[in-house]
Amino acid sequence: MAKKALITGITGQDGSYLAEHLLSLGYEVYGLIRRNSITENQQSRLDSIAPLIHTEYGDVSDVSTIDRVMMRVRPDEVYNLAAQSHVRISFDVPQYTAQTNALGALNVLESTRAHSPGAHFYQASSSEMFGNSVDPDGKQRETTRMVPVSPYGCAKLFAFNIVRNYRRSYNLFASNGILFNHESPRRASNFVTSKIIKNAVLISRGKLDKLELGNLDSQRDWGHSKDYVRAMHLILQHTEPDDFVISTGQTHSIREFCEIVFQKLGLDYRKYVVQNPKYMRPEELRFLCGDCSKAKATLHWTPTYTFDSMIDEMIRQWSDKPT
Ligand code: G4F
């Protein structure tokens, strides 16, 4: 019989790639969709697989819907990807962020414990939980201290810890993937990689003359979402529940990212990129570079995209859009 997977946050970048990956492995895929007043585009990332998956309106903050879906589906695997995923916006909506990212995760976990206790549970934990902690070798790993610097990171840290607590207290198969930044053509354009690429393409066409950004000196370890959803699945196939860093081990500043993208389009970023304090954060996470040796050794996970091939794919996608 086909395994059943329930994905919260299925309409997002990771949710949609994960659904495609699980379908390719023969899973029956169920997804929770948060109702939005603008239906257009809301499920556009799922367009190609819509007839193959089962979706239901729900929200991780609404326990009754989670329980109802959990009881009906009784999934073998639960992937909790639903979140308010934008770090800067979490400073504007800290309570909503905590409700969704912290209590929402607890709601899904508690519902799994109550109605599908044998299910393997995946929590989308984040490198934002580390804050500005870095090990002496310049990396972050599973054992690095977590001292978050944003409401988003604080809420994610609660979810991370409650997953570990439920694992030990109730013997649940509950695991955390500590994912570093991951991008793709499906990344929303208010995250920095998509924003830079989308606007650099517009500039190259003469449709725009400036790109306003915030902090250009922070550094991120950027991988590709498609590689990272494979890791999510592998984490739940492991013999025991555990926590894994998923990263590339390479880091670049936002400035370098601009330089590379503009160069690929035949432009000099220094002529177009300006800073606007509006995009700065009250507290910034300055540096991320993950050590994913544990995932490589235990799960035999390796990324297939390079930094360059990821950028090229994103540039192609934005270049193909009519303007
Ligand atoms: O693309 P970002 O908004 O991603 P951020 O904040 O690192 O968060 C992403 O990665 C986390 C994993 O560590 C996830 F948990 C989270 O859900 C999300 O996917 O910003 C990246 C960097 C930051 O340092 C930011 O200050 O880019 C800098 N930046 C500079 N100008 C900007 C801008 N970020 C955005 N979004 N917009 C700007 O104009």
Side-chain angles (χ1 to χ4, degrees), residues 299-314:
L299 308 172
H300 309 296
W301 173 81
T302 48
T304 58
Y305 280 84
T306 61
F307 182 63
D308 227 43
S309 64
M310 178 193 79
I311 293 180
D312 288 342
E313 193 187 84
M314 291 174 75

Side-chain angles (χ1 to χ4, degrees), residues 13 83-88 101 124-129 152 156 179-183 187 189-196 211-222 254 275-276 278-281 284-286 288:
Q13 167 187 258
Q84 190 299 92
S85 63
H86 202 285
V87 174
R88 199 203 55 73
N101 299 8
S125 287
S126 161
S127 51
E128 184 71 23
M129 299 185 307
Y152 171 91
K156 282 283 181 182
L179 270 51
F180 282 60
N181 297 50
H182 46 285
E183 318 296 309
R187 187 59 139 159
S189 62
N190 59 353
F191 290 92
V192 81
T193 54
S194 268
K195 179 173 172 180
I196 293 168
L211 165 56
E212 291 188 351
L213 293 174
N215 185 5
L216 298 178
D217 297 315
S218 54
Q219 290 171 257
R220 290 292 183 271
D221 174 334
W222 281 292
I254 312 304
Q275 275 188 298
N276 184 335
K278 182 168 121 185
Y279 299 110
M280 307 290 268
R281 296 162 186 201
E284 174 68 280
L285 193 166
R286 293 184 295 272
L288 283 173

